Amino acid sequence: MPDGRPLLSVREVSKSFGAVAAVRDVSFDLYGGEAHALVGENGAGKSTIVKMLAGVHRPDSGTIELDGIAIDLGGPADAKAAGIAVIYQEPTLFPDLSVAENIAMGRQPLGRFKTIDRAAMVQQAAQLFVRLGVSIDPNRPARGLSIADQQLVEIAKALSADARVVVMDEPTAALSGVEVERLFAVARSLRDDGAALMFISHRFEEVTALCERVTIMRDGRHVSTDLLTDVTVDEMVRKMVGRDLGALFPKQDVTPGAVALSVRGLSRDPVFLDVSFDVRAGEIVALAGLVGSGRSEVVQSIFGVDPRDSGTVEVVGRTLKPGSPKQAMAAGVALVPEDRRQQGLLMELSIERNVTLPRSRSLSQLGFLTGGRERRSAREWTQRLKTKYGRLSDEVGTLSGGNQQKVVLAKWLATDPKVLIVDEPTRGIDVGTKAEVHRLMSSLAAEGVAVLMVSSELPEVLGMADRVLVMREGRLVAELSRSDATEESVMFAATGQEARV
Amino acid sequence: MTAVDLPAPRRSSLDVVLKVRELGIVIALAVLVAVTTISNPRFLSGQSIRDILLGTAILAVLAVGQAVVVITRNIDLSVGSVLGLSAFTVGTLLQNSPRLPVIVVLVVGAAVGAVCGVVNGALVRFGNVPALVVTLGTLYVVRGITYFWAGGSQINADELPSGFLDFGNATVLGIPYLVLLAILVLVVTGVVLRNYRTGRELYAMGSSPQAARLAGIPVGRRTIGAFVVSGALAGLAGVLFAARFGTIDAAAGTGYELNVVAAVVVGGVAVFGGSGTVWGAALGALLLTTIASSLAVLEINQFWQQAIVGGLILLAIGADRLVAVRVAAGLKKRGSHVS
Ligand SMILES: Nc1ncnc2c1ncn2[C@@H]1O[C@H](COP(=O)(O)OP(=O)(O)OP(=O)(O)O)[C@@H](O)[C@H]1O
Ligand SMILES: [Mg+2]
């Protein structure tokens, strides 16, 4: 790590929202040429720190110093001007504008008479995507991008800023191994050029792969800042959670029962082709593959939110009509979607309304929703998932990212499904709760629920699944039993080449 | 892993959709003109075309301003009243000092409108009240001020200087001044919206206000700016109105706001902001004016005009929905793949 003066220092900053003290007296330094991790449980205050660095929130007290000089960030424009680029936890794109324009907004290359040089702008975006190794059409509108692509666009946006400080709030949450590798390669080159990186993630293997130092937060407070060579993952977890954790993937052995979900010849040109598989009651089946391999599209088509060209879906012997999520729900299917902002949650509604939304019918008596029952069942499920919130009547939009994810999970787990489809169930969820979610899925399976899990996290796939189905470019290319599934075999099937380990 | 090829810059599907939309209006116009002309050839006479063009000029100037506001996910319902106030102001001014050059009159009209725009914009920004409510309020307030000032009085053409009335009638190469002025407004606004950062920021704000704030766009200032543009153009339209009709009373421009919003919606500017062009809005203005005039020529009841405009709006919104669903499905298919 380079010595000398820190590039950016956070000095005893605090920030409260009403009664919630999100950040309390936190201090740490960022040096040019270092990648610095910030870790902590859901709701520990990480994103709040990020938003203060971004000028979105003003600290209640404390200062932020750049090159040793205190700066007052009155808004995101000030932070931009100071050379701080931020990737927010939730993608913030303009759906109607083109991807290239989203990336360049406010910094569009100018030509004659200060008009925007569109060709240069598109070229710039295309080059960034080449650097990141992804092929997103810079001319397409941002509307309809998958959550992973949205995150990649956000990353490109931050990289294009030529910033001295790059703050990344869970940029990898929706990405799989290959994209993460690409991102890290670009991040390392930025760091080697002297930028200071701040990296937030709940995946420790990423933290150790990229960063030199780590700052740990708990309940809004600073716990420690260490060199990563000086701490083990277990120590980090202990500092973060304040206790020791049990097994991360507590898989119970279950003998599978009858076929609960049967998918035959599902096709939608050109997204996926001829996908067939079964999931039995009590089984956890993982759908693995790279981002963009068609996994999410397959499960959305099974649930009926996406159309399909051909193929049949049967749930416990009953054939589901295509394009009817209502019927799928009635048949006992629940889908925890990948994009919680667009498909999972109503941000302005309260936590309890969100949790009880799909069940409103069974909860209502004589057609009226009764506040008491609604609150009781919301409380039960959010507590099982250790959701951190002020009051159940708070807007979901004010929760931390991981806690929003828990509300989505609670919402669907509470429907008592026969077939549970989860798309990236632990995206943005901290280690402690991750174990809890896994325990929950495992016990649901033990109770006879058929679980289909899409996940980009290999350890999760390997730890949880009875069987692993691997997709590549829209086709099912491999089916691996629990004993055959290894990191290498899954990566090999997913990429079609020897995994570089 | 191989690098991906650089995709050649090409038109975005967004542009294509808009082109389709504008083409639709042009076709509707052509059919309308053809049908009307067949049943009554007088429709294509010089005088009738002139009337359509002059009417369109005024409506288009208003529609351009409205489009700017709607693109930012706001709406300005006060434009009809602002037009009236501006028309009455310049009328009174010309009664008192007939020698005033036309350019000064235009500036005064625009300034009156700009002041109204500042009020609208400031109320929306600082009052945190939806634009619909604010401008509904100012619609009545501004009209009230005009009535209070004008009382029952009317300014007639013979009280206005002939130089000013000439401006309303004169042509260059057969094109009326008013039309040239409207085209100038259209081109300048269109270029700013498409090719300048400020213009793109307006689209960004309408597309996602929250993301716009995070991107460091001065949302408050731009909102006020959009209302000032709309107000100033409504004021300008007031001058055009005075020059064209020569008769001004306190009721001038009553009900215009609905025509303007209709033109903008029919022209393909999304009511939820973020998309649409002033070209589309101007085409919408042309279509609505032509419909009104063709129904008059065909001696069809006024009632039908309103029903047809209503139907067109529903058709436009329906078409937008349909296209949006199609585009969304198409976009989903083209996800990225790591190469
Ligand atoms: N705008 C807001 N209004 C009210 N409370 C808020 C707001 N933003 C954050 N909070 C609260 O502040 C606390 C810290 O949230 P923050 O988003 O910083 O957590 P985090 O560490 O980023 O968690 P995660 O890992 O889940 O993203 C949470 O309890 C959250 O509910
Ligand atoms: Mg967060």
Side-chain angles (χ1 to χ4, degrees):
Chain A
M1 198 192 68
D3 27 41
R5 262 198 337 193
L7 188 52
L8 181 126
S9 323
V10 174
R11 292 260 163 275
E12 294 172 359
V13 296
S14 301
K15 176 80 197 171
S16 305
F17 300 99
V20 183
V23 171
R24 288 180 268 190
D25 277 337
V26 171
S27 308
F28 60 87
D29 293 325
L30 285 184
Y31 291 87
E34 82 160 333
H36 192 120
L38 183 62
V39 299
E41 281 184 294
N42 295 135
K46 304 179 297 292
S47 298
T48 309
I49 296 257
V50 169
K51 287 182 183 159
M52 287 192 279
L53 293 179
V56 176
H57 295 322
R58 239 203 185 103
D60 296 337
S61 64
T63 53
I64 294 164
E65 293 172 8
L66 199 65
D67 290 325
I69 301 160
I71 48 171
D72 181 32
L73 302 172
D78 291 351
K80 257 187 174 175
I84 303 174
V86 177
I87 301 173
Y88 297 98
Q89 186 167 11
E90 305 296 339
T92 52
L93 299 177
F94 304 111
D96 299 293
L97 303 187
S98 74
V99 165
E101 198 156 26
N102 265 286
I103 292 174
M105 184 53 71
R107 279 188 311 270
Q108 296 99 329
L110 299 183
R112 274 196 308 163
F113 308 120
K114 293 192 144 198
T115 56
I116 295 170
D117 183 347
R118 271 163 206 270
M121 186 171 82
V122 170
Q123 189 73 18
Q124 209 177 53
Q127 274 162 0
L128 283 164
F129 288 142
V130 169
R131 247 174 106 189
L132 286 169
V134 290
S135 56
I136 300 173
D137 175 5
N139 279 308
R140 64 162 284 166
R143 184 180 310 259
L145 282 175
S146 73
I147 188 83
D149 286 350
Q150 290 177 38
Q151 231 156 20
L152 288 165
V153 173
E154 289 288 347
I155 290 168
K157 198 155 96 180
L159 296 182
S160 77
D162 272 332
R164 295 204 299 156
V165 179
V166 182
V167 182
M168 303 185 275
D169 194 353
E170 302 194 28
T172 55
L175 306 183
S176 63
V178 180
E179 293 98 4
V180 172
E181 250 335 294
R182 295 271 177 75
L183 166 64
F184 282 5
V186 179
R188 286 191 192 104
S189 82
L190 280 180
R191 180 195 61 191
D192 296 342
D193 292 344
L197 306 186
M198 164 140 249
F199 177 75
I200 297 177
S201 173
H202 288 294
R203 301 180 190 167
F204 288 102
E205 66 277 14
E206 294 177 356
V207 167
T208 42
L210 179 68
C211 301
E212 288 86 44
R213 291 200 303 156
V214 56
T215 291
I216 300 174
M217 288 182 69
R218 183 167 75 228
D219 289 332
R221 292 182 194 282
H222 176 264
V223 177
S224 68
T225 300
D226 302 294
L227 280 171
L228 267 159
T229 45
D230 294 347
V231 286
T232 64
V233 169
D234 286 341
E235 281 167 3
M236 280 194 273
V237 172
R238 209 172 308 123
K239 286 178 174 178
M240 219 173 106
V241 189
R243 62 189 155 80
D244 279 314
L245 278 185
L248 199 48
F249 305 107
K251 178 80 183 80
Q252 299 171 344
D253 275 326
V254 181
T255 350
V259 172
L261 172 71
S262 165
V263 176
R264 286 286 165 270
L266 210 61
S267 293
R268 186 173 138 223
D269 192 52
V271 193
F272 49 85
L273 252 168
D274 198 20
V275 174
S276 306
F277 61 89
D278 290 330
V279 185
R280 293 169 177 278
E283 221 183 5
I284 300 182
V285 174
L287 204 50
L290 300 183
V291 166
S293 56
R295 299 165 304 170
S296 301
E297 288 79 1
V298 166
V299 296
Q300 296 200 358
S301 171
I302 292 174
F303 191 62
V305 281
D306 270 12
R308 57 174 179 255
D309 298 339
S310 60
T312 56
V313 175
E314 271 181 34
V315 174
V316 218
R318 243 173 79 190
T319 308
L320 294 189
K321 253 196 327 222
S324 169
K326 216 164 155 185
Q327 201 202 10
M329 275 165 69
V333 185
L335 170 71
V336 178
E338 94 181 304
D339 186 347
R340 57 179 172 253
R341 287 236 139 191
Q342 278 169 26
Q343 297 159 357
L345 291 175
L346 298 164
M347 289 293 158
E348 302 82 37
L349 285 190
S350 69
I351 299 166
E352 57 190 343
R353 284 296 290 141
N354 266 290
V355 173
T356 50
L357 215 52
R359 274 180 314 147
S360 296
R361 199 170 291 232
S362 65
L363 276 181
S364 61
Q365 291 170 335
L366 303 170
F368 292 103
L369 271 180
T370 47
R373 291 181 69 162
E374 193 173 54
R375 203 162 307 132
R376 219 170 314 125
S377 80
R379 181 168 305 138
E380 181 189 320
W381 280 100
T382 45
Q383 271 170 7
R384 271 183 84 170
L385 289 164
K386 300 202 173 68
T387 315
K388 187 181 164 198
Y389 55 82
R391 275 165 304 153
L392 275 173
S393 52
D394 288 348
E395 279 178 27
V396 162
T398 68
L399 291 182
S400 81
N403 284 310
Q404 291 177 6
Q405 181 68 21
K406 293 178 198 171
V407 172
V408 183
L409 276 172
K411 164 176 157 178
W412 288 105
L413 291 178
T415 59
D416 205 2
K418 288 205 226 29
V419 176
L420 176 66
I421 307 178
V422 285
D423 197 348
E424 306 288 359
T426 57
R427 183 163 81 84
I429 284 188
D430 65 46
V431 268
T433 320
K434 206 177 255 181
E436 186 56 36
V437 170
H438 290 151
R439 197 165 300 125
L440 212 72
M441 277 168 43
S442 178
S443 71
L444 283 174
E447 288 163 23
V449 176
V451 180
L452 177 62
M453 171 178 81
V454 175
S455 175
S456 296
E457 232 174 296
L458 268 183
E460 181 168 272
V461 167
L462 301 176
M464 291 300 297
D466 294 299
R467 263 185 310 138
V468 181
L469 306 172
V470 188
M471 285 188 72
R472 183 171 78 233
E473 286 164 21
R475 291 166 192 274
L476 265 188
V477 289
E479 176 173 348
L480 305 163
S481 66
R482 187 172 172 80
S483 50
D484 291 342
T486 61
E487 209 156 302
E488 291 77 28
S489 62
V490 174
M491 280 317 283
F492 178 71
T495 56
Q497 51 196 299
E498 292 294 344
R500 308 149 300 152
V501 182
Chain B
M1 310 258 156
T2 54
V4 283
D5 292 328
L6 283 185
R10 55 182 180 73
R11 304 210 66 81
S12 75
S13 42
L14 217 65
D15 284 354
V16 174
V17 170
L18 290 177
K19 288 287 151 336
V20 168
R21 177 52 171 280
E22 280 150 21
L23 193 69
I25 300 177
V26 172
I27 291 173
L29 260 173
V31 171
L32 182 67
V33 170
V35 169
T36 318
T37 313
I38 288 167
S39 83
N40 188 342
R42 258 193 313 129
F43 186 59
L44 276 192
S45 72
Q47 184 53 39
S48 152
I49 290 180
R50 236 179 89 84
D51 274 346
I52 291 179
L53 287 183
L54 289 177
T56 303
I58 296 174
L59 193 59
V61 168
L62 289 168
V64 166
Q66 189 70 248
V68 171
V69 170
V70 172
I71 281 169
T72 65
R73 204 183 274 198
N74 284 299
I75 195 164
D76 186 352
L77 292 180
S78 69
V79 288
S81 303
V82 172
L83 181 150
L85 179 63
S86 152
F88 198 81
T89 308
V90 298
T92 314
L93 190 67
L94 285 168
Q95 274 181 321
N96 298 329
S97 32
R99 307 198 146 276
L100 230 45
V102 170
I103 182 79
V104 174
V105 178
L106 289 170
V107 170
V108 168
V112 168
V115 170
C116 297
V118 170
V119 173
N120 279 331
L123 282 175
V124 170
R125 177 184 176 180
F126 297 110
N128 225 345
V129 188
L132 186 79
V133 181
V134 167
T135 58
L136 190 63
T138 48
L139 181 159
Y140 287 106
V141 170
V142 172
R143 183 64 69 194
I145 291 172
T146 315
Y147 270 109
F148 180 74
W149 181 15
S153 73
Q154 188 177 23
I155 299 170
N156 291 318
D158 53 6
E159 301 168 57
L160 293 176
S162 58
F164 182 66
L165 294 175
D166 282 348
F167 163 71
N169 289 314
T171 61
V172 187
L173 302 173
I175 306 171
Y177 270 128
L178 300 194
V179 174
L180 287 177
L181 198 60
I183 291 177
L184 182 70
V185 165
L186 178 62
V187 170
V188 169
T189 319
V191 168
V192 170
L193 280 182
R194 187 177 149 75
N195 292 330
Y196 283 84
R197 283 183 181 169
T198 313
R200 303 316 294 172
E201 286 175 1
L202 296 182
Y203 281 94
M205 282 163 55
S207 194
S208 168
Q210 187 203 4
R213 220 160 283 130
L214 292 181
I217 295 172
V219 173
R221 229 184 315 149
R222 294 276 177 276
T223 305
I224 294 182
F227 277 102
V228 169
V229 168
S230 167
L233 290 183
L236 192 67
V239 182
L240 304 193
F241 184 94
R244 180 180 177 207
F245 295 108
T247 333
I248 312 149
D249 61 12
T254 303
Y256 256 53
E257 57 278 347
L258 294 184
N259 279 338
V260 176
V261 173
V264 167
V265 171
V266 169
V269 180
V271 269
F272 291 118
S275 69
T277 62
V278 288
W279 314 103
L283 272 176
L286 178 61
L287 181 63
L288 292 195
T289 315
T290 312
I291 289 174
S293 150
S294 105
L295 292 180
V297 168
L298 298 175
E299 290 173 359
I300 292 175
N301 193 321
Q302 268 284 304
F303 161 75
W304 283 106
Q305 184 192 336
Q306 307 211 344
I308 287 173
V309 172
L312 264 182
I313 293 176
L314 293 182
L315 188 73
I317 292 172
D320 280 353
R321 254 335 281 158
L322 202 73
V323 172
V325 171
R326 280 277 176 82
V327 170
L331 288 175
K332 269 198 155 177
K333 283 189 183 175
R334 288 194 285 140
S336 85
H337 288 261
V338 169
S339 50

